[in-house]
Amino acid sequence: MKIAIASGKGGTGKTTLSTNLASYLSENNKVVLCDLDVEEPNSALFLKTEIIHQEKKYKGIPEWNKNTCTLCGNCQEVCNYHAVIQLGDTIMVFPELCHSCYACSDLCPTNSLPMINNETGTLTHFKTNTFDFVESRLKIGEEQAVPLIKQTLKYIDNNFSDEFHKIYDSPPGTSCPVIESTKNADFVILITEPTPFGFNDVKIAIETMKALNKNFGIVINRYGVGNDDVINYCKKNNIPVLAKIPNKKEIAELYSKGELLWNKIPEVKTELENIKNFIFSNIKN
Amino acid sequence: MKEIVVISGKGGTGKTSITASFAVLAGKSAVIADCDVDAADMHILLDPNNLKTEDFFSGELAIIDENICTQCGKCFDVCRFDAVEIIENKHTINKISCEGCGYCARVCPVNAITNIPLNVGKWFIANTRHQQPLVHAKLGIGSDNSGKLVAHVKNMAKEIADQYNRPYVIVDGSPGVGCPVVSSLSGANYVVLVTEPTVSGLHDLKRVYELVKKFHIKAGCIINKFDLNSQKTTEIIEFLENESIEHLGNLPYNEAFTKAMTECKTIVEFDSGEITNIITKVWEKVKTTLT
Ligand code: SF4
Ligand code: SF4
Ligand code: SF4
Ligand code: SF4
């Protein structure tokens, strides 16, 4: 089963839930946790891990061969992202802007723009005592997160059978990187806070999941602060609220130190159990 | 005119609450830009009156005219994004996967493919309850190009500031280290980093600062909830010293932030004590650094 954990806005407890749920489920199940928040991967900070494999990830970008180029201008013409530009008698490539569509390279009449590998980040496969953990980290300066997310998902598919419960810590927001991270999930958990910010952002996340036709539910973090808008909205729209994680300074303190919660705070364990029961009884497989 | 961008790398550190407080403190001297277009929340605190709403188009989407298409399969062969699908023996484009690179249209032998401009969201010019201009936006679901929308929001805010002679543009920046935050940072005069003393707060601060350095922008840092974990606060302060980042101030862990937000107010309007005091001092420091 594939479970994605997402949120409309950052800092609502996505990583807390992902790491704790993975650890909790791994007591009785085969689990792999995958940190797809490649811009700010944080899951590793909460886990005791050992690296078992690491690889650099690349995207293809064109490299100009000045000796064969006839300066026909076709490459600049076909690039929709202005990632290749003709300046006088030079062709310049801007790797951060390139989407690796291959158009300039394939359509160059003299094959003067062969695609080469450009590093976008690093994928690391770790083991904890009870489960596997894979993270990818975007190189600073690289602007496109989606290609790295796709490659990471491929790594998971190639290395872990369907026996595994796969938990994806997704990037925040509702744009491309989130769509990529959630589109193959069997179930999406949206985590939010019961505040006006949380409410505003989760409504957008809910619309997104509906548009993607996803099976999803809500987890409320820092329950007890703010107001009941989120809960009332879910009730009215028949959206299941799977769990309510209480607002406690103790939780914030454990989090600040990078510690897991479920084995120290009984209420958190109960809430994880609620999540597990809901998902396992609603999703067959 | 000076542009101040507030960012945090990690979400949930209080970035928007602090930016909105700066906005209130700056009053009529500032134009506000909400560049967190993915999770735009500034309007909740500033209660704007939208004066102008416009669609934002960026990028393209390929569509196939099935009356012209001969099902030759060329588009399927060239698309690198698995966006061309064959459904009931017909080549069709998957809207969510298409990146609008335009390659397929260039190779289609019968010109059956057109690229249509993509509506990626809306942007607004508004007047806040403090009578200051706010430029904000709403990104469409699953849209790419949020970086372009961010750039647009910022440019509009700057234009307004120029026109009406406002000395400051205050920007609520985007999270992460990718394209939207790159657009938020480009052209800024000063960056305010908001962080918290947690393992992830420090980790993300370091990553986002690596990016700030590439832009050679002066930066200052606010540590929110500094009393949550004194060891992490010490580590953050060490990092700030090593990198010569101005330490602008420390804010205590306080539920008043959430309470203010629940009443849709900024913290400086809600609290009349310590917190407002600290934020006011920080704002004064930022202004002094910029003169
Ligand atoms: S398309 Fe090829 S030959 Fe033409 S300008 Fe570009 S690199 Fe040179
Ligand atoms: S591969 Fe595509 S995006 Fe990259 S430079 Fe060439 S045409 Fe532009
Ligand atoms: S425009 Fe590019 S991404 Fe979209 S379908 Fe055509 S080749 Fe694929
Ligand atoms: S390349 Fe043109 S004609 Fe061929 S399948 Fe695609 S749309 Fe149809």
Side-chain angles (χ1 to χ4, degrees), chain A residues 175-192:
Chain A
S175 58
C176 281
V178 192
I179 306 290
E180 201 53 53
S181 313
T182 52
K183 79 178 176 198
N184 292 318
D186 302 304
F187 193 87
V188 181
I189 301 175
L190 297 176
I191 181 158
T192 187

Side-chain angles (χ1 to χ4, degrees), chain A:
Chain A
M1 170 165 3
K2 296 176 178 167
I3 305 168
I5 298 173
S7 68
K9 95 185 197 52
T12 55
K14 216 164 35 62
T15 300
T16 307
L17 181 60
S18 307
T19 48
N20 280 282
L21 187 64
S23 168
Y24 168 72
L25 287 180
S26 70
E27 296 268 286
N28 297 305
N29 299 276
K30 284 187 160 179
V31 171
V32 54
L33 169 66
C34 178
D35 195 343
L36 293 174
D37 190 357
V38 300
E39 291 184 44
E40 299 288 13
N42 277 337
S43 291
L45 299 169
F46 297 86
L47 305 170
K48 289 196 185 61
T49 55
E50 194 187 313
I51 296 180
I52 59 166
H53 174 73
Q54 193 160 53
E55 63 191 56
K56 293 234 187 307
K57 287 293 179 191
Y58 304 92
K59 72 175 182 188
I61 58 156
E63 185 180 56
W64 183 49
N65 180 346
K66 106 187 230 203
N67 299 324
T68 50
C69 171
T70 57
L71 296 171
C72 72
N74 194 48
C75 46
Q76 161 167 312
E77 164 89 32
V78 301
C79 181
N80 262 5
Y81 308 104
H82 310 291
V84 26
I85 282 173
Q86 181 171 1
L87 276 176
D89 57 1
T90 312
I91 300 293
M92 284 183 62
V93 177
F94 297 90
E96 327 72 59
L97 301 178
C98 173
H99 285 229
S100 309
C101 76
Y102 283 66
C104 60
S105 186
D106 293 353
L107 299 175
C108 168
T110 60
N111 293 323
S112 301
L113 283 171
M115 296 298 273
I116 57 155
N117 276 340
N118 185 53
E119 189 188 331
T120 54
T122 310
L123 178 150
T124 313
H125 183 165
F126 304 86
K127 263 203 188 311
T128 74
N129 278 339
T130 52
F131 61 95
D132 285 78
F133 166 54
V134 176
E135 80 153 36
S136 283
R137 192 166 274 267
L138 195 69
K139 196 173 154 193
I140 299 289
E142 170 62 38
E143 297 188 25
Q144 318 287 337
V146 172
L148 184 57
I149 294 173
K150 281 190 183 166
Q151 289 167 340
T152 312
L153 288 168
K154 205 166 268 168
Y155 182 89
I156 299 279
D157 286 344
N158 292 342
N159 287 279
F160 298 94
S161 68
D162 286 343
E163 267 177 86
F164 280 82
H165 291 305
K166 298 166 183 166
I167 299 177
Y168 301 103
D169 185 355
S170 314
T174 50
S175 58
C176 281
V178 192
I179 306 290
E180 201 53 53
S181 313
T182 52
K183 79 178 176 198
N184 292 318
D186 302 304
F187 193 87
V188 181
I189 301 175
L190 297 176
I191 181 158
T192 187
E193 288 176 356
T195 61
F197 284 10
F199 183 41
N200 181 49
D201 299 332
V202 82
K203 274 190 289 186
I204 301 172
I206 289 171
E207 276 175 52
T208 310
M209 291 308 133
K210 284 191 172 158
L212 290 174
N213 252 326
K214 285 279 142 193
N215 208 333
F216 68 96
I218 307 288
V219 168
I220 296 179
N221 195 16
R222 295 185 65 215
Y223 182 65
V225 301
N227 57 34
D228 288 337
D229 287 355
V230 174
I231 293 202
N232 292 337
Y233 181 86
C234 289
K235 245 188 230 150
K236 212 174 117 198
N237 292 283
N238 284 322
I239 297 164
V241 174
L242 313 181
K244 297 169 190 156
I245 300 170
N247 181 49
K248 282 191 158 186
K249 197 167 179 194
E250 193 189 350
I251 292 183
E253 278 163 357
L254 285 171
Y255 172 85
S256 79
K257 291 187 250 174
E259 287 184 35
L260 291 181
L261 307 170
W262 72 273
N263 40 11
K264 299 181 191 84
I265 298 181
E267 292 114 296
V268 173
K269 187 171 176 183
T270 315
E271 295 304 318
L272 291 177
E273 204 174 316
N274 291 338
I275 296 173
K276 180 183 98 176
N277 291 340
F278 184 93
I279 298 180
F280 283 21
S281 60
N282 274 268
I283 312 282
K284 309 138 228 23
N285 136 27

Side-chain angles (χ1 to χ4, degrees), chain B residues 64 69-75 91 108-110 112-113:
Chain B
I64 296 177
C69 172
T70 60
Q71 313 300 341
C72 75
K74 275 228 163 85
C75 51
H91 286 77
C108 172
V110 293
I113 305 178

Side-chain angles (χ1 to χ4, degrees), chain B residues 79-154:
Chain B
C79 179
R80 289 268 162 179
F81 306 99
D82 301 326
V84 181
E85 294 173 345
I86 302 166
I87 298 174
E88 289 166 4
N89 296 319
K90 281 186 187 142
H91 286 77
T92 39
I93 310 261
N94 179 323
K95 277 189 200 166
I96 290 179
S97 301
C98 175
E99 296 237 351
C101 69
Y103 194 175
C104 54
R106 291 184 203 284
V107 296
C108 172
V110 293
N111 289 325
I113 305 178
T114 352
N115 297 308
I116 54 166
L118 203 57
N119 183 335
V120 298
K122 285 190 186 329
W123 62 277
F124 319 91
I125 295 181
N127 205 357
T128 70
R129 108 177 99 80
H130 302 277
Q131 308 305 317
Q132 58 200 163
L134 165 73
V135 186
H136 59 136
K138 193 175 175 200
L139 193 68
I141 287 170
S143 291
D144 194 359
N145 287 314
S146 55
K148 293 220 171 92
L149 184 54
V150 164
H152 186 74
V153 164
K154 235 174 74 155

